[in-house]
Amino acid sequence: MALYNFKKIMVVPTAKEFIDITLSKTQRKTPTVIHKHYQIHRIRHFYMRKVKFTQQNYHDRLTQILTDFPKLDDIHPFYADLMNVLYDKDHYKLALGQINIARNLINNVAKDYVRLMKYGDSMYRCKQLKRAALGRMCTILKRQKSSLEYLEQVRQHLSRLPSIDPNTRTLLLCGYPNVGKSSFINKVTRADVDVQPYAFTTKSLFVGHMDYRYLRWQVVDTPGILDHPLEERNTIEMQAITALAHLRAAVLFVMDPSEQCGHTLQEQLELFNNIRPLFANKPLIIVANKCDVKKISELSEENQKMFADLSADGIPVIETSTLTEEGVIRVKTEACDQLLAHRVSTKIKGKKVHDVLNRLHLAMPAKRDEKDRPPFIPEGALNRKKAMQVDTPKRKLERDLELELGDDYILDLQKYWDLMNEDEKHDKIPEVWEGHNVADYIDPDIMRKLEELEKEEELKEQAGEYESDEESEDEEMQEIRSLAKQIREKKQLLVLESKEKDVHGPRMPRTATKVEKKKLEKEMSNLGLDMNDKNDSHYALQARRSRSVTRKRQREASAPPTSRTRSQSASRPPRDQSGLRDGKMVKKAKKMMKNSQRDMNREARKGEADRHVFDLKPKHLLSGKRKSGTKDRR
């Protein structure tokens, strides 16, 4: 588990964003309406509240920044030195110090102006004091622009750093660039480090994890180191030096005997001797990589003697190849075992072991005399043990058979089945489907029978058994066909007749209007017809009949209504009760009306036709005179 989580550090805004966020929050979270005719203590409190709220916002945000960023004196020396290499310790501390000073200055400004505001005797003076206080706070923060930008860059870089636990079991890879360190970590862990055929592909620390003996291990891949003085090393190389100096790990110094990395074996040995003080009190293994290209036995005698001297000093030298994976697992096992043994020996040498040993007591009984006292077994137990012994040989267990037969052993549990017929033990178990044995429905001669059927069908086709001749039909079949044809023709005729039949009768066009009797008689008389004494004609009788039906029934004379409500009830029922049968139905209709209105009430609408759009630009925030200053913010 990682000791520090730098990903949780809060984002550091720029100075302009900082000011905009804080002033906007002050405008939103504090009251905005004040009038000069209010009592003076109310006006003072109104503007004091704005100053205090702004100061508190600045204080909280700056405190959060100071708390989130790690303090170099409190964190592990590995991370402290790594941050010094990457970000420059002095610059980092100076930036955090500037933020701390800005926080204290803002607190002091707010305190001073709140004290002055107690003596404000008008709304104008209180407002000017508030403006001055907020302006001074914003000016203080504007001056921290460079510090805030630097801290944001540090935060982004910290969040991308690998999570390295300085106290856990660790394997550390180091050596010249392009000797195969990243290829090795890709083989033994689940990491995916970029591997390229040129130097300094790895520019920062990379971490991979693996399991060995049910323990979690971390493998750290460091950038390549060149052989020159410490003062001349750049930031990339210093990361590797920092890891070597502070991590309690097993060091794997990777060398390239084939010299494909661009550096001779002599140069690689000089680098090893140069940084050897950093390997003190750490398990060390020399990994001779790329043995698939050139092995140690193929080197010159001088170079072979160099590796022999290292082995004589007690440093194990292991040949590996990350291409063919030869020796990779051996290096991993050797390094892990050495580190575990080293950690145990370190703990034994420490002071904590004595505290634990003081709590433990191992009893070691001393001899009373020189008399030999063998273990005593009662005679009854010996007799029972003899009675249990049988002359028959002991039955062989499956485990015994497995050890005896070796690779030829096959586990056969069917031989232990208890069946009436011993011969049926190794019979095939029937496959049952829907209650039926599948074997009962399998015919071994099915293919032969299928071929016979196909031959029989071919013979029938050649004989013309399947050919149908219309002329060979008998008289009865011809009669049936002619009768069916007559039935079909009759059906078609019936369908046509029903389509031609007009079942609706004559229809009046929509444009036709009612003709009056007098107008009709006049037109007919103009055409030369005699229209006198036509009262008994058909059209006159029809007109009288329709008039009598449509004539309204005259209302009987009654007393005039005494009140307006009585007159309404006599004419028609109330509108909300018209068409309803009884009180129960009226109640149900009102309930349905309320339910239908509920969604509109939730949206604060009067009804379905309410399309009112509320103001999206509140006047109290956007109106008023703007005197001095810029207009890019409120």
Side-chain angles (χ1 to χ4, degrees), residues 577-607:
Q577 294 179 8
S578 63
L580 301 174
R581 186 170 57 250
D582 51 11
K584 187 177 179 182
M585 203 170 181
V586 172
K587 195 174 180 181
K588 188 177 179 183
K590 285 185 177 178
K591 189 177 180 182
M592 289 170 68
M593 183 184 72
K594 280 186 180 178
N595 288 342
S596 65
Q597 186 66 22
R598 186 184 297 160
D599 291 338
M600 258 90 71
N601 290 344
R602 282 178 183 160
E603 297 172 9
R605 286 161 57 191
K606 295 175 184 175

Side-chain angles (χ1 to χ4, degrees), residues 89 140 154 172 193 256 258 327 358 367 427 434 457-458 470 472 544 585 600 602 617:
K89 179 170 67 175
I140 290 168
V154 170
L172 195 64
V193 184
D256 182 10
S258 67
N358 289 338
K367 266 195 171 188
D427 289 355
E434 292 187 356
E457 288 296 316
E458 285 177 6
E470 294 181 358
S472 63
R544 281 200 297 274
M585 203 170 181
M600 258 90 71
R602 282 178 183 160
K617 292 185 176 182

Side-chain angles (χ1 to χ4, degrees), residues 248-468:
R248 295 187 295 173
V251 179
L252 305 179
F253 188 82
V254 185
M255 297 179 74
D256 182 10
S258 67
E259 299 180 356
Q260 287 182 347
C261 62
H263 301 278
T264 62
L265 269 175
Q266 191 62 37
E267 290 175 353
Q268 295 179 46
L269 185 65
E270 286 175 5
L271 173 66
F272 174 77
N273 293 326
N274 191 2
I275 61 173
R276 194 164 183 175
L278 296 172
F279 304 153
N281 300 321
K282 292 188 181 81
L284 176 62
I285 294 176
I286 301 289
V287 179
N289 197 19
K290 302 183 184 178
C291 69
D292 56 316
V293 179
K294 186 179 282 189
K295 294 189 176 181
I296 294 177
S297 58
E298 299 172 5
L299 297 174
S300 62
E301 291 183 5
E302 185 182 348
N303 291 336
Q304 286 185 24
K305 185 176 181 298
M306 187 193 313
F307 283 108
D309 293 343
L310 290 171
S311 300
D313 290 344
I315 302 170
V317 179
I318 302 174
E319 291 186 86
T320 63
S321 170
T322 52
L323 184 66
T324 61
E325 298 189 13
E326 179 187 345
V328 172
I329 300 302
R330 186 186 163 202
V331 169
K332 168 187 162 183
T333 308
E334 181 75 19
C336 293
D337 290 342
Q338 279 198 27
L339 184 62
L340 285 174
H342 177 74
R343 285 166 71 94
V344 170
S345 63
T346 308
K347 286 177 182 175
I348 290 172
K349 291 176 186 175
K351 295 179 181 178
K352 289 184 180 178
V353 178
H354 298 297
D355 298 337
V356 176
L357 287 175
N358 289 338
R359 298 180 214 159
L360 300 175
H361 174 66
L362 182 61
M364 297 293 290
K367 266 195 171 188
R368 208 169 26 177
D369 49 31
E370 297 299 324
K371 188 178 180 181
D372 187 22
R373 293 180 176 83
F376 172 73
I377 302 174
E379 287 186 15
L382 289 171
N383 293 334
R384 277 199 298 275
K385 189 175 181 182
K386 286 178 183 178
M388 289 172 64
Q389 291 178 354
V390 186
D391 296 336
T392 56
K394 187 180 176 184
R395 185 170 68 90
K396 280 189 177 181
L397 302 177
E398 287 295 317
R399 176 64 178 163
D400 301 331
L401 288 172
E402 185 182 359
L403 293 172
E404 185 180 330
L405 297 174
D407 294 338
D408 299 331
Y409 171 75
I410 298 171
L411 180 64
D412 181 19
L413 297 177
Q414 286 178 281
K415 63 186 177 185
Y416 296 117
W417 288 0
D418 187 11
L419 300 178
M420 290 180 67
N421 190 357
E422 294 289 329
D423 299 335
E424 295 177 355
K425 282 185 178 180
H426 294 282
D427 289 355
K428 288 186 178 180
I429 301 171
E431 296 182 27
V432 178
W433 183 68
E434 292 187 356
H436 301 287
N437 188 353
V438 176
D440 294 344
Y441 298 91
I442 294 174
D443 190 355
D445 300 332
I446 191 166
M447 297 306 295
R448 182 179 56 76
K449 291 178 180 178
L450 181 64
E451 288 177 3
E452 290 176 1
L453 276 173
E454 287 176 350
K455 287 178 183 177
E456 187 179 343
E457 288 296 316
E458 285 177 6
L459 292 172
K460 283 183 178 181
E461 284 180 4
Q462 290 172 7
E465 187 174 336
Y466 297 120
E467 292 178 1
S468 61

Side-chain angles (χ1 to χ4, degrees), residues 26 43 56 131 138 183 187 210 222 271 273 306 315 328 372 377 385 448 487 528 538 540 542 546 552 578 599 609:
T26 303
I43 294 170
Q56 191 62 41
R131 284 186 62 190
C138 295
S183 302
K187 292 293 180 185
M210 66 177 188
T222 62
L271 173 66
N273 293 326
M306 187 193 313
I315 302 170
V328 172
D372 187 22
I377 302 174
K385 189 175 181 182
R448 182 179 56 76
I487 291 170
H538 179 264
Q542 285 294 106
S546 63
K552 289 184 180 178
S578 63
D599 291 338

